[in-house]
Amino acid sequence: MDKTIGFIGCGNMAQAIMGGILKSGLVDRQSVRASARTQETLDMVREKFGVKATNDNLDVAAFSDIVFLAVKPDQYKDLIESIKHSLKKDSIIITIAAGITIEWMEEQISPSAKIVRTMPNTPSLVGEGMTAYCVNEEITESDLEHVQAILESFGKAEKIEESLMDAIPAVSGSSPAYVFMFIEALADGAVLQGIPRNLAYQLASQAVLGAAKMVLETGTHPGELKDAVCSPGGATIEAVAALEKHQFKGAVLSAMEACGRKSKSLGE
């Protein structure tokens, strides 16, 4: 891709996206630039990714055809005020913060600004990210192709209506944390039954990966796949019953509701 890509902010999510883009070979390292506030982060980014890193946000804004704003939601207003006059005329601005709407971004920069609102997740670092995104009317078909290519360089990407964006953190943005907890719990249970810790993590992680792949590749309803594992009077249905008695699904739903509420409040 003949585009320069910038990251203002180099936290975990920016690093995941940057790593995914570079690993895919979509652009070379000379086409990526990043900014961060601390020298420690700058040094780490240079060493880990081999890209130019600076503490000058204006430099990244002026350099980038496509710029990711990878800072916390409450930092967006001051950041945009400081960089908006340095942005290229036709640059594409990509947000990755919960609660930041396209309308608000247009108000801060310009009604003619090209805005993409995204919600990626950290598995982007290993090329298995899931990113939901929406765009404003200034994004052309050519722009959309570039955006889709970038987002798919580190996983899967789905264009959705903005009205659904506040629900995305709960289902795919934050959910890797829930899954990591589940893997940890599976591994603890395995260790309790005598399986070595390292092997326990491998067994649990591969089981989760394989189960997810079955849903994606077969298109079969998760409930049907669950039923197929549960033999009458068998061990699996005993485990499923125990999970339900402890409100397994209810706990997940409660977590997602809490995540959704917090995501909306961050934009306020």
Side-chain angles (χ1 to χ4, degrees):
M1 179 183 292
D2 187 24
K3 294 289 182 182
T4 52
I5 302 175
F7 292 84
I8 298 181
C10 284
N12 291 336
M13 186 58 68
Q15 291 177 41
I17 296 171
M18 191 186 312
I21 290 173
L22 292 171
K23 187 175 181 180
S24 74
L26 185 66
V27 297
D28 58 31
R29 299 181 191 280
Q30 288 69 41
S31 299
V32 177
R33 190 168 297 183
S35 63
R37 289 184 295 181
T38 69
Q39 190 61 46
E40 181 182 7
T41 301
L42 293 173
D43 292 341
M44 180 274 296
V45 169
R46 293 185 189 113
E47 181 177 352
K48 185 175 181 179
F49 300 107
V51 302
K52 181 176 179 180
T54 174
N55 59 8
D56 186 355
N57 294 337
L58 303 185
D59 175 70
V60 175
F63 166 83
S64 307
D65 298 316
I66 301 167
V67 56
F68 283 85
L69 302 186
V71 299
K72 295 179 180 179
D74 60 0
Q75 298 173 346
Y76 262 65
K77 188 173 182 62
D78 289 342
L79 172 62
I80 291 170
E81 185 63 31
S82 69
I83 68 168
K84 64 181 179 181
H85 298 301
S86 296
L87 292 166
K88 291 183 178 181
K89 181 181 179 182
D90 292 322
S91 63
I92 299 172
I93 299 100
I94 301 181
T95 72
I96 63 172
I100 301 296
T101 67
I102 287 176
E103 181 181 14
W104 185 87
M105 288 292 294
E106 290 173 339
E107 290 173 353
Q108 305 307 307
I109 303 174
S110 165
S112 61
K114 295 183 176 185
I115 308 296
V116 180
R117 179 182 177 185
T118 75
M119 181 49 61
N121 62 12
T122 53
S124 303
L125 186 58
V126 293
E128 292 294 347
M130 182 66 246
T131 304
Y133 73 98
C134 56
V135 304
N136 70 350
E137 295 181 356
E138 299 301 316
I139 296 292
T140 66
E141 285 300 317
S142 176
D143 294 333
L144 194 59
E145 289 177 6
H146 287 126
V147 169
Q148 187 80 20
I150 289 173
L151 299 181
E152 288 185 342
S153 74
F154 49 85
K156 298 183 183 298
E158 290 288 340
K159 183 173 176 288
I160 66 172
E161 295 295 323
E162 188 174 19
S163 60
L164 299 175
M165 285 298 291
D166 283 336
I168 294 301
V171 68
S172 62
S174 300
S175 61
Y178 325 155
V179 177
F180 296 145
M181 292 175 69
F182 181 52
I183 291 172
E184 184 180 31
L186 289 174
D188 284 347
V191 171
L192 183 64
Q193 299 188 53
I195 295 175
R197 174 68 64 179
N198 288 343
L199 179 58
Y201 283 133
Q202 182 179 340
L203 293 170
S205 299
Q206 182 61 36
V208 171
L209 174 63
K213 196 169 184 179
M214 284 184 71
V215 174
L216 291 173
E217 294 192 0
T218 68
T220 304
H221 191 284
E224 290 184 45
L225 294 172
K226 179 263 295 178
D227 289 348
V229 188
C230 295
S231 302
T236 305
I237 191 62
E238 287 279 354
V240 169
L243 286 171
E244 292 294 8
K245 287 176 182 177
H246 287 84
Q247 300 184 332
F248 180 67
K249 290 180 182 177
V252 173
L253 291 172
S254 295
M256 294 179 69
E257 289 174 353
C259 186
R261 287 194 301 270
K262 184 64 174 181
S263 296
K264 291 180 182 179
S265 71
L266 289 173
E268 299 170 358

